[in-house]
Amino acid sequence: MLKRNAIVLAVMALGLGSASAADPASINWSKIKPVSIGLFYPGQSSYEWLRSPEHKGADVEVNRGDSCVSCHDEPSAEQDLGNKIVKGGRLEPVPVKGKSGYKELSVQAAYDSKNMYLRYEWKTDNPYPGTEHQYLRYDGHGWNVWGFPKLDKVVQEGKQPGIYEDRMSIIIDDGKVPGFAKQGCWLTCHDGQRDMPKQFTKEEVAANALLTAIKKSDVRKFLPDTRSNPSDWKTGKSVDEISQLKADGKFVDLIQWRAHRSNAVGMADDGYVLEWRLSDAGKDMFGGNADGKTHQPLFMFDEKKMGFRSITADSQARKGNLFLVKEENAVPFDPNAGWKEGDLIPDYIISRTDAKGSAADNNAMAAWKDGKWTVVLTRPLGLTNTDDKTLRAGGVYNVGFAIHDDNITTRGHQVSFVKTLGLGAKQKVDIQAVKLP
Ligand code: HEC
């Protein structure tokens, strides 16, 4: 126990030592007014569904680009939508037991000459932090993934436990993506994607010119402009046309704080959405821990530091903050260590020192206490990478928020309608970042 906590503390300290002007831990947040944002369970309310007659009396308006909140403007709109959809029905074929339809997210924002700081706070569904992620499990012969997100069939059927990290995500547009200011994240959410209606088949993906050109084996978030028919993922534009969209800034930034895979090293990941949900250039802070050929783990816990090489399903260590961190508590996997059926090793290896380039821009500090996560995201201003939105003092951005909670991924989140975020902006915005002294 003690050892593990010591590692977590060391890792937190690492996070604090990032190249930031203000130490985010010393910002006096009590001086900055929190903005409460309603997040709701959207189920399968895709770009296509919203434009169809199923969205009764609204398809014409959504097609012509009206904003969602021009109609969904009641104070309880998010609660009403989420609490209804989450129960199951036309927009949720696989209702997840106990899932909350609505979440309140508190956001505080600040900036200085180097960074923007976003302090998020929200209540988790579970009485413990969702820092656990998938494992590799020894079955007596080989190693297989153990633990899947709750919308997966194997979890629904009780064949696998539901295990997936909590996440807090923000999508940022600087006004260059047509329609984002009015319809927000729904521009990225389409039929055909994972866990959406008419989900892709492997054969369809293999036959698709764009996805084979960018070497992808499934369909994830994309922006309408990257398709010749925005309502059909199969109609991808050419790689050259998409490069031009990117050069013109017609993409959105997607920053995900991940309770397991980035939190372990005091970071948030850095990605963007254009023709797919892509990672920024460089290297993420996490990578797969399974050998591509043998599917054995690449790393295991350092027994000298942890007291164990692996854990089992009933280990106390599963109750939070167990991470396999390359520079802290991992050693190369020993295939001859006398593995027993049921031994578990994390499916991801995490490293701050391996994280490189544009993918390694964002830092974060986090704590879970009294049923709530508090996360402080640190995002540098003035980034000039071609896959980043450049934040500037005085700037105004369109943002959408999402929380993944209780062992789930894909559509199993609560999301916000689009909001405006200003960094000391002159105009009125939903969230005004305060200039730090
Ligand atoms: C012109 C007004 C209008 C606009 C614009 C509009 N909606 Fe709706 N929306 C409605 C109405 C009315 C309903 C209820 C229709 C029904 O029950 O079939 C609805 C239903 C929904 C539902 C389904 C709720 C349920 O009970 O199943 C979702 C989700 C939704 N809207 C999301 C959005 C989003 C996201 C946007 C923006 C992209 C949007 N709407 C834009 C009027 C609108």
Side-chain angles (χ1 to χ4, degrees), residues 49-50 55-56 58 61 67-68 71-72 81 84 90 186:
W49 185 87
L50 292 162
H55 192 189
K56 274 194 208 100
E61 289 81 351
S67 79
C68 308
C71 298
H72 298 283
L81 286 166
K84 183 173 165 217
R90 57 180 183 164
W186 280 269

Side-chain angles (χ1 to χ4, degrees), residues 128-236:
Y128 53 84
T131 56
E132 195 175 32
H133 202 57
Q134 298 170 282
Y135 294 92
L136 293 167
R137 180 182 181 277
Y138 190 63
D139 67 3
H141 308 281
W143 295 82
N144 303 297
V145 176
W146 187 76
F148 286 81
K150 279 195 169 179
L151 285 169
D152 279 26
K153 215 169 170 199
V154 283
V155 180
Q156 295 279 324
E157 290 173 348
K159 291 177 184 154
Q160 284 275 344
I163 301 178
Y164 210 88
E165 66 188 345
D166 287 353
R167 274 178 289 162
M168 172 67 231
S169 311
I170 180 172
I171 285 185
I172 306 174
D173 162 52
D174 52 2
K176 289 185 179 151
V177 174
F180 195 92
K182 299 214 161 141
Q183 301 186 346
C185 301
W186 280 269
L187 294 189
T188 71
C189 173
H190 296 269
D191 287 356
Q193 290 170 351
R194 296 182 302 165
D195 291 334
M196 292 300 283
K198 302 180 209 143
Q199 184 176 309
F200 68 88
T201 64
K202 274 192 184 140
E203 295 71 32
E204 286 170 338
V205 170
N208 188 265
L210 173 60
L211 293 178
T212 44
I214 62 170
K215 300 192 174 67
K216 300 299 179 193
S217 56
D218 60 22
V219 183
R220 300 194 188 181
K221 288 186 183 62
F222 65 84
L223 288 174
D225 268 0
T226 61
R227 302 302 198 267
S228 49
N229 173 359
S231 293
D232 182 357
W233 67 265
K234 295 195 194 87
T235 64

